[in-house]
Amino acid sequence: MSKKIVKYNKNIQNTAEEMNNTMILLFGLKLLYYYKEVRPQFSNGKQIITWDNHIPDRANCGPFFTTLKQYEHILKSGAFHCILFDGSIIRSAFIFDSNNLINHSHLWWPAPYNNESYIEEVTPQSKYEDFINDSNWKKRLRMRSPIRIDFDPKNMNDNHPLVHMHIQHQETRIHIDKPICFNKFVKYIFQNFYSSIDLDFRKWNLLDFSYEKSEIYGHISSRIII
Amino acid sequence: MSFDVVRGKVNKINPTQSLVKNITRYFENKHDSGTLFLGYPLSAGSESKVTIDALLVSKRCGLIAFIFPEDSNSPELIMEEQDTLYYHLDYNFKKYISLKKGRDLAFEPIVVSVFPDDSYPNIEGEYTLISIEEIEKVLNENQDFSFDVYKRLCEVLQRVANIKPKKKRQNVKKELSFGGKIKKIEREIANLDQWQKKAALELPEGPQRIRGLAGSGKTIVLALKAAYLHSQFPEWNIAITFYTRSLSQQFKDLIRQFYFEFSSEEPDWGKVNIVHAWGTSFENGIYSIAARSVNVTPLNFNTAKMKYGRINAFSGVCEELLPYFGDDYEPVFDAVLIDEAQDLPSTFYKIIFQLTKKPKRITWAYDELQNLSEIEMPSLAEMFGRDSEGNLNVILEKNPDEAQMDIVLPICYRNPPWALTLAHALGFGIYRDKGMIQMFDELKLWEDIGYQRISGRLQYGNKIILKRSTKSTPEYFADLLKPEESVQSKVFKSAEEQYKWVSNQIKNNIEYDELDPDDILVIFPDAYRSNKESIDFRKSLNQLGIKSVLAGVDTDRDTFKMPEYISCSSIYRAKGNEAPMVYIVNANHCSDGLELIKLRNILFTAITRSRAWIRICGVGEGMDLLQEEINKCIEKGYILDFKLPTKEELESIRRINRERTQEEVKKINLAQSNVKQLIEGFEKGELDPELIPELEVLLNVYKKSKMSDNEDE
């Protein structure tokens, strides 16, 4: 408990509260093995939400995308927000400049192994260790690509849509209409990759990040298509 | 003699106490009546707001305003103070034509500066300076006030603030049409009564409880209190909170209107916080403010429901938050006003207690009956807890020399007495063949809520006859309405026939009765089926070219009424709202069944939404049963004539009709449908009872349970 309450802007606060609420909800529904409460922070004059041990440009992205090394690194360094019941990982980062969202990155890293049952007794790490050391790993291997959805106005160009999805390869960038909130990402993941799970999304808050003008990012082009 | 003190803001405690003592002594000795207002706010003049230290209005002395000058005030300053106050009084009262005589006021306000002893300066002329001991003398010297002016003056002072009827109703041409009548009723309601005024201005050094039936003006009292507090203590951080979302706009409008009277300005909305009890990520609520103030993520309804279930969601999140408040927590609010307190869990009050600065100016208004007897208000210990030594954190003291901490508003302005009596008759099942459904634990409540005993004593097991007392009923109902016009009910063969009839009635209401479409509310008591039912019903409205909305579905969640549209609503959305004409359709839903207390409370709530006219409609046997109960109530002339249950009977009534958990409901429904299936099977000859030996077991179990029930009785 602290008497000093740092004031964050409304949007980052909403984003953090949305993430926390959803993770508590999923945890209660036994769809998460573990989650970490989100707290906004200040960084270089911006307000950000990110995962623990966020070290850019190491095993986090680039050539390591889709490699076991990346999954292992994220898992072992605790650089995630939550671990799903099947050992898959979700994490999200947001950067706000005042009340404007200027960057986000959502990642779902599916567990590389077939999970027959909910992780309960063993930890995700030991489950992973068990898998890679198993002489029978070929039978247990499950090949699924991570999904990353980024909102990255700084690097926007013809081949780099403002909001895009990485799948299968680091240079794949599938156009996405507009920045999305944590709930929308989680909803997308569950609807597409866990469709047998009956989750009621009707009451989920969805934060709407939409920008009519892109001037703040230095682009003179017309409004971003939503 | 009748003398009352309304204790608002007191600036100078000692002189005020002496003044009250001396004036009380005068009233004890003299045959006179009056009211002394402490901290009375005058309507704003052109420049500034004015609050009078003490203002006395008496039948014999008229209007006397008292000033307590600072010790250091020079004679010039004292004269200036008196002149200014006189000017404001003159300016203020001249606004009322009823108080004028020719171009001037019909009376001369007296302004007096009161000093602790007789060492005050000697000032010549029209200025009155006295010591506190000389008050009686001054009062005795002014004894020839006109009774007629006194009456008019009281009316003006009681009003405190003008609430203008929202609607002008310029389309009303016929005085005796429904539109004409509701126009008159709305005008009458616009005046505050003396209890409301007292409840709004009384300002205890601590918490305050305000009780009253639905429609007794609690919301208005709280809004006026908020405006008064804000005008007297502009630096205070004030919160007004409630559970029904649509109240937000109503509070904002009322507070703005009242505050404008006190100060001619817009309230500082940074200081007056109108907030929902819970709050969302987009809007602050008391709970979310509290959570953020201790650096905890506020949970939303969806998450809370997962953790604690629908019913306990809010109490669960509040409970979860409580341990985060430490001894060094710095409260946020100077005063908190809570409406609809009966809908909020006790853990919420513990949060409020933490959020409020000393001396814990928490005012909560509630209606003991909104939920009839099902959910009772928690005790003070449950609400605010106890300190480390086991003493109650909040005590409602009754001290005649201090501002009242516990106030009851006795008059029900919203509901005609007939509708209210019928609502109670149906809600409690007073005339139900199969027996009563529920009863208050505290029988005295019947009198508190405005019934008078015609015969019998309020004791368990006694026969009793109760009737709405004239004291608790505004006169305009009897002047303007007749019971047979105000209350009607009708049984239909089919839902379609019912919808058609209601639609035609509505058409008449709009075309001939001069009601506006948004004066009409159609309530669907079955919350789970209201969407589907309203679609069917609205087909018949559409056929007649009448536009309608389903509140909360067609409209955004804070909008209940829209001009030019009929409001249709499920019972839950209708709570906290009202309309001159209310149609309850498919009322048969509430006639009998599982969880009868809940069903009858729905009916009670639905009927009490009506400001003037109620039409109870339903279909089939269920409605026949209700109609019988309604007929009995009408035949007896809208009285409640019944035998109060014994305590044991009450216990058994509760047990049978209580609310069930979802699990229980599922089990009962499943069993019901299985038994129905069996019966059908036998009737159609598809099943042979001989082949189902379990039937005999079932019969035996049933017989046994019946026997033990009889033993219980």
Side-chain angles (χ1 to χ4, degrees):
Chain A
M1 178 182 29
S2 151
K3 269 203 224 167
K4 280 187 189 158
I5 305 295
V6 185
K7 288 267 179 198
Y8 291 97
N9 74 62
K10 191 80 189 136
N11 282 341
I12 197 166
Q13 187 177 291
N14 285 344
T15 300
E17 289 179 1
E18 175 190 273
M19 290 178 74
N20 288 334
N21 267 284
T22 299
M23 290 192 293
I24 297 169
L25 177 78
L26 295 174
F27 186 72
L29 296 171
K30 295 202 179 297
L31 294 173
L32 295 189
Y33 167 79
Y34 178 68
Y35 72 91
K36 297 198 250 191
E37 198 182 31
V38 178
R39 297 267 167 192
Q41 310 161 20
F42 285 94
S43 172
N44 298 327
K46 306 278 192 297
Q47 298 183 29
I48 66 165
I49 287 173
T50 188
W51 51 85
D52 292 342
N53 306 317
H54 189 159
I55 307 158
D57 298 328
R58 286 229 351 239
N60 276 326
C61 55
F64 292 102
F65 190 63
T66 70
T67 61
L68 267 186
K69 189 176 167 55
Q70 190 176 54
Y71 175 81
E72 186 182 321
H73 174 81
I74 293 173
L75 192 64
K76 289 190 174 167
S77 61
F80 54 78
H81 282 119
C82 53
I83 303 178
L84 274 63
F85 63 92
D86 64 345
S88 302
I89 287 165
I90 288 181
R91 71 182 189 190
S92 288
F94 297 85
I95 304 177
F96 285 85
D97 188 356
S98 307
N99 248 322
N100 296 313
L101 177 70
I102 57 167
N103 187 288
H104 78 45
S105 175
H106 302 287
L107 175 69
W108 170 65
W109 230 115
Y113 50 82
N114 241 334
N115 193 43
E116 306 78 22
S117 58
Y118 281 10
I119 302 174
E120 267 176 12
E121 304 284 301
V122 284
T123 64
Q125 283 194 36
S126 55
K127 194 130 189 171
Y128 173 72
E129 296 288 340
D130 179 44
F131 161 67
I132 51 171
N133 294 320
D134 190 347
S135 55
N136 217 1
W137 64 270
K138 281 183 196 161
K139 278 198 173 166
R140 292 175 63 191
L141 175 69
R142 194 173 177 200
M143 297 189 4
R144 297 187 288 178
S145 166
I147 301 282
R148 203 173 87 214
I149 299 182
D150 290 348
F151 167 50
D152 186 11
K154 261 193 197 160
N155 297 310
M156 182 178 140
N157 61 41
D158 286 350
N159 297 318
H160 191 129
L162 184 73
V163 188
H164 53 260
M165 179 199 284
H166 296 277
I167 185 166
Q168 294 284 19
H169 190 273
Q170 74 208 56
E171 293 302 328
T172 314
R173 290 190 179 84
I174 301 171
H175 171 89
I176 304 268
D177 278 352
K178 60 176 181 177
I180 62 172
C181 67
F182 180 76
N183 274 2
K184 196 154 189 175
F185 178 70
V186 173
K187 187 176 163 188
Y188 173 79
I189 295 297
F190 271 94
Q191 282 178 333
N192 287 280
F193 305 105
Y194 300 92
S195 58
S196 62
I197 290 171
D198 185 20
L199 203 50
D200 181 2
F201 296 103
R202 283 174 304 177
K203 294 274 166 63
W204 282 36
N205 277 333
L206 294 177
L207 301 172
D208 193 14
F209 299 119
S210 48
Y211 297 98
E212 294 223 343
K213 287 182 183 164
S214 55
E215 282 157 18
I216 45 170
Y217 312 112
H219 303 293
I220 37 159
S221 56
S222 61
R223 66 188 271 267
I224 294 160
I225 297 159
I226 297 164
Chain B
M1 171 216 96
S2 81
F3 172 59
D4 188 23
V5 186
V6 177
R7 293 163 200 272
K9 180 190 180 187
V10 173
N11 273 330
K12 295 175 183 128
I13 296 171
N14 287 339
T16 307
Q17 277 175 349
S18 311
L19 181 86
V20 173
K21 209 170 84 190
N22 278 287
I23 293 183
T24 310
R25 196 161 58 212
Y26 159 81
F27 277 96
E28 279 165 1
N29 297 333
K30 202 86 183 179
H31 190 70
D32 194 357
S33 326
T35 308
L36 177 68
F37 297 91
L38 305 178
Y40 188 86
L42 282 184
S43 295
S46 46
E47 333 68 73
S48 59
K49 61 183 179 215
V50 181
T51 305
I52 308 174
D53 287 339
L55 182 71
L56 175 70
V57 56
S58 112
K59 204 153 82 178
R60 300 178 73 148
C61 317
L63 188 85
I64 305 180
F66 298 95
I67 304 173
F68 301 120
E70 297 297 334
D71 293 345
S72 54
N73 281 4
S74 64
E76 291 73 28
L77 214 54
I78 292 169
M79 289 195 292
E80 195 187 316
E81 264 184 346
Q82 287 207 10
D83 289 342
T84 311
L85 184 53
Y86 187 93
Y87 162 78
H88 282 299
L89 287 168
D90 188 68
Y91 173 87
N92 191 64
F93 290 116
K94 267 190 186 155
K95 284 192 286 192
Y96 302 95
I97 292 173
S98 66
L99 294 181
K100 280 213 241 181
K101 191 177 175 187
R103 295 177 189 185
D104 295 318
L105 271 181
F107 63 99
E108 178 92 353
I110 301 169
V111 178
V112 180
S113 302
V114 185
F115 295 82
D117 49 45
D118 52 12
S119 61
Y120 50 85
N122 189 11
I123 299 175
E124 296 284 313
E126 54 199 338
Y127 302 97
T128 313
L129 283 71
I130 56 168
S131 75
I132 202 107
E133 293 301 326
E134 290 169 303
I135 282 176
E136 263 189 278
K137 200 176 114 205
V138 172
L139 298 180
N140 283 323
E141 279 167 5
N142 293 284
Q143 289 283 307
D144 49 0
F145 203 73
S146 144
F147 180 62
D148 192 38
V149 179
Y150 169 72
K151 271 200 310 191
R152 281 181 271 150
L153 192 54
C154 282
E155 274 169 28
V156 165
L157 286 173
Q158 263 168 29
R159 197 173 305 169
V160 179
N162 256 321
I163 317 158
K164 292 190 191 82
K166 270 197 197 130
K167 284 190 167 187
K168 293 212 166 68
R169 298 195 181 273
Q170 279 159 339
N171 58 330
V172 171
K173 303 280 180 283
K174 297 174 276 188
E175 208 180 312
L176 291 177
S177 70
F178 285 9
K181 288 176 178 179
I182 197 71
K183 188 173 177 176
K184 279 204 186 117
I185 291 177
E186 282 170 346
R187 240 190 259 148
E188 291 282 339
I189 292 179
N191 293 331
L192 283 170
D193 70 29
Q194 51 175 319
W195 292 279
Q196 289 173 322
K197 168 211 67 190
K198 192 173 162 74
L201 296 195
E202 288 254 319
L203 190 56
E205 282 291 301
Q208 189 175 44
R209 171 168 78 178
I210 299 174
R211 288 180 287 172
L213 270 180
S216 54
K218 296 186 294 294
T219 301
I220 284 182
V221 165
L222 288 183
L224 181 56
K225 195 182 259 307
Y228 178 61
L229 288 175
H230 184 47
S231 72
Q232 300 303 312
F233 306 97
E235 70 287 359
W236 277 15
N237 211 357
I238 300 170
I240 298 101
T241 188
F242 42 81
Y243 204 78
T244 304
R245 308 198 60 85
S246 51
L247 273 176
S248 163
Q249 192 56 44
Q250 204 180 332
F251 266 117
K252 193 159 187 182
D253 294 344
L254 283 170
I255 292 174
R256 176 184 280 141
Q257 206 177 333
F258 292 148
Y259 187 74
F260 196 81
E261 290 236 358
F262 297 147
S263 72
S264 300
E265 283 171 8
E266 179 81 5
D268 175 357
W269 297 114
K271 291 288 181 191
V272 181
N273 303 276
I274 302 173
V275 283
H276 187 249
W278 193 321
T280 63
S281 13
F282 308 100
E283 289 166 302
N284 268 334
I286 290 286
Y287 160 73
S288 64
I289 290 173
R292 288 179 193 128
S293 76
V294 289
N295 232 340
V296 169
T297 298
L299 300 188
N300 60 33
F301 179 68
N302 209 20
T303 308
K305 192 177 76 182
M306 178 279 298
K307 285 187 95 169
Y308 301 104
R310 176 179 290 276
I311 294 171
N312 295 321
F314 195 37
S315 65
V317 294
C318 291
E319 180 94 54
E320 188 179 312
L321 187 62
L322 273 172
Y324 292 94
F325 293 93
D327 292 338
D328 58 345
Y329 178 73
E330 281 175 20
V332 184
F333 296 115
D334 296 275
V336 179
L337 311 175
I338 310 161
D339 201 3
E340 304 180 312
Q342 75 280 350
D343 292 339
L344 296 160
S346 58
T347 43
F348 176 71
Y349 293 94
K350 296 204 177 84
I351 302 245
I352 296 265
F353 188 78
Q354 297 290 344
L355 283 179
T356 315
K357 294 177 193 165
K358 281 182 180 163
K360 306 288 178 192
R361 288 196 174 82
I362 303 166
T363 302
W364 69 103
Y366 72 96
D367 175 0
E368 320 231 19
L369 274 204
Q370 197 88 274
N371 289 308
L372 292 171
S373 64
E374 192 180 337
I375 299 170
E376 280 164 37
M377 249 335 254
S379 68
L380 288 177
E382 286 165 328
M383 285 167 76
F384 299 108
R386 294 175 185 273
D387 64 15
S388 51
E389 283 163 21
N391 302 315
L392 283 174
N393 277 330
V394 162
I395 305 170
L396 298 176
E397 284 167 314
K398 273 194 185 145
N399 187 341
D401 295 334
E402 281 171 18
Q404 296 296 298
M405 290 182 144
D406 198 4
I407 289 178
V408 177
L409 301 172
I411 300 183
C412 173
Y413 291 90
R414 184 199 286 151
N415 306 125
W418 317 289
L420 200 54
T421 309
L422 182 64
H424 282 130
L426 295 176
F428 286 98
I430 302 262
Y431 298 119
R432 180 171 169 264
D433 268 351
K434 286 197 244 168
M436 201 171 284
I437 296 153
Q438 53 182 333
M439 183 49 52
F440 298 132
D441 274 336
E442 252 186 84
L443 296 178
K444 198 182 140 287
L445 265 179
W446 281 111
E447 287 178 331
D448 288 349
I449 61 167
Y451 280 92
Q452 82 186 79
R453 280 182 295 122
I454 304 295
S455 76
R457 286 209 319 205
L458 278 171
Q459 273 174 358
Y460 289 106
N462 271 7
K463 281 193 120 188
I464 187 129
I465 299 181
L466 300 168
K467 191 177 188 331
R468 291 298 303 158
S469 78
T470 41
K471 261 198 330 225
S472 309
T473 310
E475 284 170 11
Y476 50 73
F477 286 126
D479 291 348
L480 294 168
L481 304 176
K482 289 196 175 67
E484 61 272 20
E485 166 197 289
S486 171
V487 177
Q488 289 176 12
S489 58
K490 207 165 161 62
V491 188
F492 296 89
K493 287 200 189 71
S494 69
E496 291 67 35
E497 187 193 17
Q498 172 192 225
Y499 296 156
K500 216 168 163 184
W501 183 82
V502 173
S503 303
N504 279 315
Q505 291 287 308
I506 290 177
K507 188 165 187 267
N508 275 338
N509 293 152
I510 299 170
E511 288 179 2
Y512 304 107
D513 298 332
E514 299 189 318
L515 287 178
D516 298 330
D518 63 349
D519 287 333
I520 300 167
L521 167 62
V522 183
I523 298 180
F524 295 84
D526 186 348
Y528 295 102
R529 301 190 50 192
S530 59
N531 279 14
K532 188 193 167 302
E533 287 174 358
S534 73
I535 291 172
D536 293 343
F537 169 63
R538 287 162 73 188
K539 273 186 207 156
S540 57
L541 278 182
N542 287 340
Q543 216 183 1
L544 299 176
I546 300 168
K547 292 187 285 188
S548 60
V549 288
L550 181 59
V553 178
D554 288 350
T555 62
D556 75 66
R557 58 186 183 174
D558 292 339
T559 306
F560 190 76
K561 285 180 183 180
M562 273 166 56
E564 303 299 317
Y565 287 81
I566 308 285
S567 289
C568 297
S569 168
S570 81
I571 185 65
Y572 293 113
R573 287 288 312 175
K575 241 182 133 190
N577 288 289
E578 57 182 37
M581 170 65 86
V582 172
Y583 290 89
I584 306 174
V585 292
N586 301 325
N588 43 294
H589 171 70
C590 302
S591 123
D592 207 354
L594 262 187
E595 304 186 285
L596 197 50
I597 292 184
K598 193 166 148 191
L599 293 177
R600 290 302 178 107
N601 287 353
I602 287 176
L603 203 52
F604 175 85
T605 308
I607 297 173
T608 51
R609 298 309 94 204
S610 152
R611 293 270 299 276
W613 302 278
I614 177 79
R615 306 287 179 255
I616 307 170
C617 306
V619 179
E621 279 174 30
M623 189 60 203
D624 282 334
L625 287 176
L626 271 188
Q627 185 67 57
E628 276 174 35
E629 290 181 48
I630 295 170
N631 288 346
K632 279 186 200 157
C633 184
I634 296 175
E635 281 159 20
K636 286 185 182 270
Y638 292 99
I639 54 167
L640 302 177
D641 177 359
F642 63 108
K643 179 178 164 289
L644 289 160
T646 63
K647 280 203 165 170
E648 293 73 33
E649 283 167 343
L650 187 60
E651 202 44 47
S652 128
I653 291 171
R654 286 244 170 88
R655 209 174 48 229
I656 299 166
N657 299 317
R658 74 195 152 92
E659 192 163 355
R660 319 262 168 164
T661 63
Q662 258 183 329
E663 207 51 34
E664 284 176 307
V665 173
K666 261 191 209 160
K667 273 188 195 160
I668 295 169
N669 285 341
L670 182 69
Q672 266 181 348
S673 91
N674 287 344
V675 173
K676 262 190 201 156
Q677 222 178 340
L678 270 180
I679 297 171
E680 263 180 38
F682 296 141
E683 283 176 350
K684 288 184 187 162
E686 294 164 355
L687 287 176
D688 180 356
E690 293 293 319
L691 295 176
I692 309 172
E694 289 84 356
L695 267 183
E696 203 156 336
V697 183
L698 178 70
L699 273 176
N700 282 334
V701 173
Y702 176 71
K703 276 183 202 156
K704 267 191 213 159
S705 77
K706 269 281 154 195
M707 269 159 64
S708 63
D709 264 4
N710 289 338
E711 280 162 21
D712 281 355
E713 283 163 17

